[in-house]
Amino acid sequence: MTDNVVEQKVELDWVTRLADEVVAEAQHRGVDAPIVCASGISPSGPIHLGNFRELITPHLVADEIKRRGIDCDHILSWDDFDRFRRVPKNLAGVDDSWEQYIGMPLTSVPPPAGSPHASWADHFKAPLLEAMEATGIEVRQISQTEQYRAGVYRDQVLLAMRERFAIDKVLDQYRTLEAAENARQKATGKGKGAGAGGKGPKLTEEQAAAATEAERGSGAASEDDGSEGKAGYYPFKPFCTACGTDFTTVTAYDDDSHELTYDCTRCGHSETVDLDTFTNGKLVWKVDWPMRWAHEHVMFEPSGVDHQSPGSSFVVGKDLAPIFGWERPVGPMYAFVGIAGMAKMSSSKGGVPIPTDALEVMEAPVLRWLYARRRPNQSFDVAFGPELQRLYDEWDALNRKVADGSAQPGDLAAHLRATSTASGLLPATPRPMPFRTIASVIDVTQGDEEQAVRILSELEPDNPVGSTDDLRPRLDCAERWMLGYVPAQDRTIVRTKPDAELLGSLDEQQRESLRLLADGLDEHWSLDGLTHLVYGVPKIQRGIDPEAKVKDPELSAAQRTFFVLVYRLLVSRDTGPRLPTLLLAVGADRVRTLIGH
Ligand SMILES: [Zn+2]
C-alpha cells in the first residue's frame, strides 16, 4: 500500500521526484533541518532566462519540501567576488573604457553609465530580484564578496592551502580527462557552451556569445583551477592590493606562518600577506564551489551542462568536497533555455532578454509554468513572438481542465507549482479573457486603452467587464506585447476609407454576402454571435441551415474566400486578427462603411 503511494508520487512530476531524493539524502547523511537548496549566480552581465533555471529549479524543489512541512532554506549565492572577465558588447552605458576593470571583483567594477546602482554586480542583480519578487521566489541571499572580505571562509582558505597537494592531485586526474574530452569535441566539431545561442539563428552571434558567457555563470568557462603558477599549485588567488585585479601569481606560501607572497603582472606590485588576516582574495572556482557546499551544508544544487562535462567543476567537486568534510549535493544538470520570436526586436531591446522582459508579456504563473512543466534536462524556448498567443491558449485550456477536474496528475502538479508556493497563491488575472483576443483589440485600437476596454466589455454582453482591474495584469501584458514586441509589419491597420476599387469589382454573390453580414451585425454583436454570423453567411448562400453542423470541403473553401474578402475590405490584407474580434474592434458603423453598406 505504502509502495503504491510512493510510486504515484514519483510519477507526479520531476519536482516531486527530486524532493524525494533530496529528503532521502538528508536522512541518509543524518542532516538536521533546515535542508539547504542552493542557487549560484554570477552577476557578470544580464542574467537571462537561461540563468533563471539556476534559480527556479532549486526554488521549486525547496518549495515542494516546504509544502511537506519540512524546514528548508533556499540560498542564493551571488558570485559577485568573481573577476570581471570581459566587457560585454552593445550594452547601454558601457564602452571600451571598462577594459581597465578586467580582473577586478564584480563588486568593484562601476555600473553602466546612468545606473542608479553602486556596482556592476548590483546593477545586474537588481532586475533578477525584481523578477523573483514578482514570481514568488524567496531566498536567503549570500554575497561572496561580503563573505570572503569578512573572513567567513578563513578556516576553509587555510585548509585548502594546507591541502593544496591533495587538491592538485585530484585536479590533475581531471585535467587529463578534460584534455581528452576537448580533443574529442574538437574532432567531432561539438564545442562546449552552445549557450542560449545553441538555438541557432534565433540569436545573433554577438547575443549568443553574451548568452554563453552569462550561462556559464560561475566562471565555468575558463574554469580557473589555479594551475598556472610556476612556483607550485595554490588554490587561493589574491586580488592585488595596488591595482585591485587578480592578475596575480602566488610565488610562495609558508605553511607555518600562513604568509603568502604574490606578484602582480598587471602593475608589477609584489607583496607578502598573512592569510590569517588578509581577506582580499578567493579560492579558485573549482575549489570555491565544493568549499561552499560544505560551509552551507548544501543538499541540492543544480548546474548547467557546462558544469558537468569531464573535468568540470561539478564533476571535480565530487572528489574535492570530502576535503572540506562534505559530499557533493544532489545536482541535476539543466539544459539551455532558448528565445523565440525576439530576432526583430533584439536590436532595440539590446541583447538577450531577461526574466523581467518575459514578465512584461507573461503573467507570473505562466512564466513559472514554462519552467515547472519541463524536466530540467529538457531545453525549451521562451516565446516573445506569435507563439506567445498559443502559450496563453494552452495555459487557459489547462486552467479549464484543472477547474473541471479533468487534468492529468502531471499537469495538475505543474499548475499547482505555477500558481502557488508554500507561502500562498500568486496574483492571477480575475477575468482571464483570451490573450489573443485582448491583443487583437489593442492592435486594432492602436493602444487606446479606453476604447479597448469598451470593446472587451462588449465581447460578452451577458457578462460585462465590471472593472478594468478584473482584466489585469493580462491586459497590461497584452498591451506591452502588442505595442512593444510585435513588429510593425505584423500590426493591423484598419482602413480609414472604403476600398472603392475592390468594392466596384465584386460580383453579385460577393455583394450578397456582404449584405448578409451588414444586416446581421447588430443582432449578433458579441464574440459568440459574430462567430456564428461570419461562418453562417456562406452557409445561407449555399442553402444550408446556419445552425447545421456541416463538414463540407466546398463550404470550408467558401468560408475562407468570404473571410479573405472581409479582411481585404477592412485591413487591406488577406488575413488578420480573428474575424469576430476584428469586427468588434472596428465597430459596427465603420464595418458597414468599409464593406459598402
Ligand atoms: Zn596589481
Side-chain angles (χ1 to χ4, degrees):
M1 204 54 193
T2 314
D3 282 354
N4 280 340
V5 171
V6 171
E7 226 162 86
Q8 273 179 354
K9 272 169 66 184
V10 170
E11 280 175 358
L12 210 53
D13 71 344
W14 63 268
V15 182
T16 308
R17 205 184 61 240
L18 280 174
D20 286 346
E21 201 183 323
V22 173
V23 170
E25 182 69 19
Q27 278 166 356
H28 172 68
R29 294 193 196 180
V31 171
D32 289 336
I35 293 174
V36 177
C37 297
S39 298
I41 293 178
S42 179
S44 58
I47 299 165
H48 60 78
L49 288 153
N51 307 128
F52 196 57
R53 220 167 191 179
E54 169 72 32
L55 183 67
I56 197 164
T57 305
H59 161 73
L60 292 169
V61 172
D63 188 62
E64 167 62 23
I65 295 171
K66 285 181 200 169
R67 284 177 200 261
R68 297 178 187 183
I70 300 170
D71 194 8
C72 188
D73 193 11
H74 180 191
I75 61 173
L76 167 54
S77 248
W78 285 113
D79 292 322
D80 55 13
F81 211 35
D82 283 5
R83 75 195 302 257
F84 184 57
R85 290 169 187 279
R86 62 191 275 279
V87 183
K89 298 256 190 285
N90 296 338
L91 201 62
V94 177
D95 58 30
D96 289 347
S97 69
W98 263 260
E99 299 268 351
Q100 64 184 301
Y101 307 116
I102 287 176
M104 291 184 185
L106 296 168
T107 37
S108 299
V109 177
S115 167
H117 301 286
S119 72
W120 187 270
D122 285 354
H123 177 81
F124 291 105
K125 286 177 188 180
L128 187 71
L129 294 171
E130 201 184 305
M132 285 162 58
E133 170 81 31
T135 50
I137 298 178
E138 294 166 6
V139 300
R140 176 163 61 88
Q141 297 182 65
I142 299 173
S143 158
Q144 292 309 321
T145 302
E146 287 173 15
Q147 296 280 100
Y148 269 108
R149 289 243 166 97
V152 172
Y153 303 138
R154 178 170 292 121
D155 290 347
Q156 286 82 354
V157 167
L158 292 173
L159 172 65
M161 288 300 274
R162 199 161 63 235
E163 296 293 334
R164 62 189 181 277
F165 301 107
I167 291 170
D168 191 32
K169 203 173 155 197
V170 168
L171 290 170
D172 209 40
Q173 294 161 11
Y174 287 101
R175 287 180 196 124
T176 316
L177 277 175
E178 194 167 30
E181 172 67 11
N182 285 344
R184 190 191 67 78
Q185 288 191 345
K186 224 172 193 172
T188 57
K190 220 183 102 203
K192 270 169 81 175
K199 288 281 161 188
K202 283 166 185 164
L203 295 179
T204 65
E205 212 169 294
E206 185 99 309
Q207 290 172 322
T212 304
E213 178 80 1
E215 185 80 59
R216 285 158 164 173
S218 311
S222 55
E223 279 176 323
D224 189 354
D225 66 9
S227 60
E228 82 275 21
K230 290 193 183 74
Y233 174 77
Y234 298 104
F236 182 82
K237 186 119 175 144
F239 289 104
C240 171
T241 307
C243 73
T245 74
D246 71 346
F247 291 98
T248 53
T249 308
V250 176
T251 55
Y253 180 67
D254 186 319
D255 279 295
D256 295 325
S257 68
H258 303 159
E259 280 185 345
L260 175 146
T261 306
Y262 70 85
D263 291 339
C264 176
T265 56
R266 164 63 76 82
C267 72
H269 181 70
S270 185
E271 188 180 12
T272 296
V273 296
D274 180 356
L275 284 191
D276 286 323
T277 52
F278 180 85
T279 56
N280 191 32
K282 66 190 287 291
L283 293 172
V284 295
W285 164 246
K286 281 185 183 174
V287 182
D288 176 66
W289 199 19
M291 178 279 284
R292 286 190 273 131
W293 291 337
H295 184 77
E296 302 291 350
H297 290 184
V298 174
M299 203 61 70
F300 178 80
E301 182 167 2
S303 53
V305 288
D306 281 358
H307 289 274
Q308 301 211 352
S309 61
S312 70
S313 43
F314 188 76
V315 175
V316 175
K318 183 177 191 297
D319 291 343
L320 291 183
I323 292 175
F324 296 97
W326 196 244
E327 284 173 58
R328 187 173 68 177
V330 174
M333 182 276 288
Y334 56 83
F336 291 121
V337 174
I339 303 302
M342 272 291 280
K344 287 169 188 137
M345 302 305 299
S346 53
S347 51
S348 61
K349 281 287 194 183
V352 185
I354 61 174
T356 43
D357 293 328
L359 288 166
E360 283 204 326
V361 298
M362 277 175 213
E363 295 167 358
V366 174
L367 185 64
R368 288 176 63 93
W369 184 55
L370 279 179
Y371 291 81
R373 68 177 174 159
R374 307 261 191 240
R375 291 194 309 277
N377 62 0
Q378 289 178 299
S379 55
F380 64 91
D381 286 348
V382 178
F384 285 85
E387 308 86 352
L388 181 64
Q389 301 181 87
R390 202 176 330 126
L391 176 70
Y392 270 99
D393 288 346
E394 287 174 37
W395 173 245
D396 289 345
L398 173 61
N399 277 280
R400 284 192 295 273
K401 280 187 189 168
V402 170
D404 72 18
S406 66
Q408 298 295 311
D411 292 340
L412 203 57
H415 181 267
L416 180 77
R417 303 193 193 293
T419 53
S420 66
T421 70
S423 304
L425 285 173
L426 273 96
T429 303
R431 176 97 183 252
M433 282 189 167
F435 182 86
R436 64 171 70 240
T437 304
I438 304 177
S440 295
V441 170
I442 286 162
D443 182 19
V444 175
T445 55
Q446 310 279 340
D448 180 338
E449 195 177 287
E450 202 179 318
Q451 201 191 347
V453 168
R454 181 183 54 72
I455 293 163
L456 289 168
S457 299
E458 285 176 349
L459 294 181
E460 296 170 57
D462 299 339
N463 183 18
V465 176
S467 147
T468 52
D469 287 346
D470 290 349
L471 300 174
R472 295 184 207 281
R474 188 171 289 197
L475 176 67
D476 302 316
C477 290
E479 196 168 311
R480 284 187 291 254
W481 181 68
M482 184 49 73
L483 303 179
Y485 287 83
V486 177
Q489 68 264 30
D490 295 343
R491 294 285 309 275
T492 303
I493 298 165
V494 180
R495 294 186 61 89
T496 49
K497 285 189 304 191
D499 186 340
E501 197 182 327
L502 177 55
L503 285 170
S505 72
L506 301 180
D507 60 26
E508 179 49 40
Q509 181 264 342
Q510 287 171 315
R511 274 199 292 275
E512 194 210 357
S513 68
L514 295 176
R515 187 176 52 73
L516 288 168
L517 176 63
D519 290 351
L521 286 179
D522 289 341
E523 186 191 335
H524 294 88
W525 200 249
S526 70
L527 203 53
D528 279 351
L530 289 172
T531 304
H532 210 69
L533 177 64
V534 297
Y535 282 96
V537 165
K539 286 185 185 169
I540 295 167
Q541 287 194 293
R542 301 173 76 82
I544 301 168
D545 176 0
E547 303 299 324
K549 288 221 183 288
V550 196
K551 278 220 166 187
D552 174 0
E554 280 183 35
L555 173 63
S556 299
Q559 285 166 333
R560 271 197 304 277
T561 309
F562 173 59
F563 292 177
V564 169
L565 173 62
V566 179
Y567 279 123
R568 294 203 66 81
L569 288 167
L570 297 183
V571 297
S572 306
R573 287 164 51 173
D574 288 354
T575 177
R578 290 187 59 228
L579 202 46
T581 313
L582 179 64
L583 294 169
L584 278 171
V586 173
D589 289 344
R590 195 164 165 202
V591 169
R592 276 189 283 263
T593 307
L594 292 175
I595 65 175
H597 286 266

